[in-house]
Amino acid sequence: MELGRREMIAGAAALAATSGSGLAQPSGRKMGYAIVGLGTYGLGVITPQFANCTMSRLAAVVSGDPEKAKRVAAEHGLPDRSVYSYANFDSIRDNPDVDIVYVCLPNSMHAEYVIRAAKAGKHVMCEKPMAVSVRECEAMIAACKAAGRKLMIGYRCHFEATNLKAIRLVRSGAIGKPHYFRSEHGFVQRDPSVWRLKRALSGGGSLMDIGIYALNAARYITGEEPIAVTAQESTDRSDPRFHEVEDQIAFTLEFPSGVIGSCHSMYSSNQNHILMVGDQGRVEMEPATRYSGNHMWTGRDGRERELIPPPGPGQTQFSAQLDHLPQCIASGREPIVSGEEGLRDMRLIEAIYRSARERQRISLAPARRG
Ligand code: NAD
């Protein structure tokens, strides 16, 4: 029943988000986002997506680079009072144009800025991974609860048409009884100087960055929570890129139904693949979780066909994600990817690292799906 409810919520959110109908606000006013961190993702990927949103708009920018912040603000017609530095960020509480703060900073800075945003009375969107520890995730959830504000994690694949179709196919029995899940996620990390390879900023290596897609997909495709995990790491520590964080980590997730999930995360190969095999068919996506151009093959008894579900008119996974939080704020619902969802992944990430370190299978406490 829990799974049915979850799919219904995901389906409804996706439908509302991708149809662009949403839940119109009585005032017709779009909710204002402040983007914190004008880097590759915050500025390069997210900011242009407001053009595709029906319920959201860019309302402020927060950056350590005043010139860049002013330039971006001018390009988007934002007033000077909507440009913030990290030092005066807390004064965002006095800006009525800002409803939501979107944290697009290096991982170890997520907790601080989510908590400061909640204390400033704003709802919060936070990039993945939610933080660098379970303790931080719990503090972020507590801060948002105490402030009466919503917290959503930027798990964009929950709004991506191909992944949503895969979830529906698996839940509807199209592949029969699910047997095993497999996913490889990686890219070649070439520059040894990037923050992603500094433990103090990233919290970990490929698993925190790209392997989390395999982990999160194992949970949303199966609709189950793992009961045990076993992991092995393989990293060439003499490679200057990997002095502080892991390159490859393979992990096996055991699910209550008997499904085995085999996942592989790496910073040394380009991989983007998801496979779910049942006793009567399979769903396969490659690439599976890219910004665009994801492909799916599905079928029963070896007769497979390519299926490319169209996104909603004028919508992308990013605009659907951005519009979902305003819909939740307006309707009082919890986001389908709330802080609890980020916390679940972080609990698993800690167990995966522990399993690799101690070279043993880690049993997990049963987790309720919400
Ligand atoms: P980036 O390096 O391109 O940008 C990081 C931003 O943080 C920059 O504006 C930088 O100036 C700022 N910053 C502030 N203090 C910093 C410090 N001490 N060191 C380095 N940068 C600092 O990184 P990115 O690729 O934009 O990633 C930002 C976040 O977004 C990460 O949490 C990442 O996991 C996430 N992300 C998510 C997706 C996705 O598809 N959901 C894709 C890429 C990145």
Side-chain angles (χ1 to χ4, degrees):
M1 248 173 84
E2 253 334 270
L3 299 187
R5 193 178 79 88
R6 185 181 157 82
E7 224 237 310
M8 225 166 63
I9 294 168
L15 201 68
T18 55
S19 69
S21 60
L23 294 168
Q25 289 186 72
S27 62
R29 171 183 169 271
K30 288 182 173 184
M31 288 198 196
Y33 272 86
I35 302 289
V36 188
L38 300 177
T40 315
Y41 197 65
L43 181 60
V45 178
I46 291 299
T47 303
Q49 290 293 330
F50 289 106
N52 297 318
C53 289
T54 56
M55 298 192 65
S56 318
R57 66 187 180 93
L58 181 66
V61 288
V62 185
S63 169
D65 179 341
E67 289 314 309
K68 189 191 223 177
K70 268 191 206 147
R71 177 176 54 77
V72 175
E75 282 167 10
H76 290 85
L78 302 180
D80 288 350
R81 66 183 165 84
S82 292
V83 177
Y84 296 88
S85 66
Y86 298 123
N88 73 4
F89 168 68
D90 304 285
S91 63
I92 209 161
R93 78 172 67 248
D94 302 320
N95 190 336
D97 294 343
V98 176
D99 303 284
I100 300 165
V101 166
Y102 192 160
V103 178
C104 297
L105 291 166
N107 308 340
S108 69
M109 299 172 77
H110 291 182
E112 178 189 341
Y113 281 85
V114 166
I115 292 168
R116 284 170 70 180
K119 285 187 174 161
K122 305 300 178 184
H123 302 281
V124 197
M125 179 87 78
C126 176
E127 257 317 309
K128 47 54 61 179
M130 181 171 169
V132 297
S133 69
V134 165
R135 219 159 51 131
E136 282 187 352
C137 294
E138 287 171 343
M140 292 154 83
I141 291 169
C144 291
K145 254 188 203 139
R149 292 296 175 261
K150 299 217 178 281
L151 172 57
M152 174 168 160
I153 310 303
Y155 284 124
R156 58 182 169 75
C157 294
H158 290 246
F159 302 90
E160 196 276 331
T162 316
N163 283 266
L164 287 170
K165 181 71 185 171
I167 294 171
R168 285 190 205 108
L169 285 169
V170 173
R171 299 286 197 288
S172 69
I175 63 166
K177 181 178 170 359
H179 266 331
Y180 73 88
F181 171 93
R182 213 178 81 205
S183 179
E184 299 83 18
H185 270 78
F187 66 93
V188 181
Q189 184 64 266
R190 293 186 197 281
D191 180 357
S193 70
V194 295
W195 66 260
R196 285 179 161 81
L197 299 175
K198 312 287 172 217
R199 180 168 289 279
L201 285 164
S202 60
S206 70
L207 176 59
M208 295 291 266
D209 188 13
I210 185 80
I212 194 170
Y213 286 93
L215 174 64
N216 196 249
R219 295 178 45 245
Y220 65 71
I221 297 282
T222 62
E224 294 189 75
E225 295 297 338
I227 50 172
V229 58
T230 312
Q232 295 93 37
E233 187 197 318
S234 173
T235 302
D236 176 0
R237 294 288 174 184
S238 70
D239 185 324
R241 295 172 300 168
F242 303 125
H243 285 173
E244 295 188 26
V245 300
E246 84 279 359
D247 169 14
Q248 287 194 65
I249 188 155
F251 52 98
T252 303
L253 304 165
E254 296 170 41
F255 289 99
S257 66
V259 167
I260 300 280
S262 305
C263 302
H264 205 123
S265 166
M266 67 221 92
Y267 264 158
S268 48
S269 315
N270 294 311
Q271 289 294 312
N272 195 299
H273 175 241
I274 290 174
L275 171 70
M276 182 82 230
V277 174
D279 63 359
Q280 292 175 43
R282 59 201 253 150
V283 170
E284 182 154 24
M285 294 182 277
E286 187 168 25
T289 60
R290 291 244 167 96
Y291 294 166
S292 62
N294 294 318
H295 277 252
M296 171 191 282
W297 291 263
T298 188
R300 292 170 82 106
D301 307 323
R303 288 191 298 279
E304 282 158 19
R305 66 193 166 91
E306 192 172 354
L307 200 91
I308 305 175
Q315 292 284 318
T316 64
Q317 57 183 311
F318 308 98
S319 60
Q321 176 201 317
L322 287 166
D323 276 346
H324 180 63
L325 186 50
Q327 287 165 8
C328 290
I329 294 166
S331 65
R333 278 185 300 158
E334 269 309 288
I336 58 166
V337 280
S338 64
E340 300 292 339
E341 176 76 5
L343 170 62
R344 283 187 195 114
D345 275 351
M346 194 53 58
R347 283 205 178 102
L348 289 164
I349 286 172
E350 287 193 351
I352 290 165
Y353 281 139
R354 191 180 139 213
S355 171
R357 212 170 41 242
E358 297 177 0
R359 295 171 187 273
Q360 62 165 324
R361 175 180 179 273
I362 307 286
S363 294
L364 303 161
R368 265 199 83 246
R369 295 193 70 90

